Amino acid sequence: MSGEYKPRVAVFASGGGTTFRAVADAIAAGLVDFEICLVISDHADAGVLQHVADLNKQHGWQIATKIINKKLYPDGQQGRGQTVTETKATIAALKKHKADHLV
């Protein structure tokens, strides 16, 4: 229904975006009632970024993208290899785009 809040999903992708495309296709087909607000990738040349641009144009969506990797946020290691500044950048992006769920 129009005017109702739709849950906002952030998608993590590092390559061609198979999961992103499956979620986007389900949204476009009306099979699920939520929106993708953000795609985060650790590769600036990931194919998923072109898919986001194409679908934004095709459907009038406004899915944001963010590149977060060690080259952009270098410092000491944390957890499973992500740096402290990568973690902070990820959390900041999720908050900025008001993501409710992660894929």
Side-chain angles (χ1 to χ4, degrees):
M1 290 183 170
S2 181
E4 287 188 24
Y5 178 80
K6 289 186 178 189
R8 298 171 59 82
V9 174
V11 177
F12 290 82
S14 62
T18 304
T19 300
F20 166 78
R21 286 185 287 170
V23 173
D25 288 348
I27 291 169
L31 300 174
V32 295
D33 193 24
F34 55 82
E35 64 181 299
I36 301 170
C37 61
L38 174 65
V39 172
I40 296 176
S41 181
D42 57 345
H43 299 289
D45 61 351
V48 68
L49 302 174
Q50 185 59 52
H51 291 302
V52 171
D54 292 345
L55 290 176
N56 279 345
K57 185 175 180 179
Q58 179 182 353
H59 295 289
W61 294 347
Q62 296 180 340
I63 301 170
T65 59
K66 180 80 175 166
I67 307 303
I68 300 176
N69 63 36
K70 288 175 186 54
K71 291 178 183 175
L72 299 173
Y73 300 95
D75 65 4
Q77 297 294 313
Q78 173 183 332
R80 296 181 63 189
Q82 191 175 45
T83 68
V84 173
T85 52
E86 281 180 284
T87 300
K88 288 179 180 179
T90 299
I91 292 169
L94 295 171
K95 286 182 178 181
K96 176 182 178 182
H97 294 282
K98 300 178 182 167
D100 298 309
H101 305 281
L102 308 175
V103 176

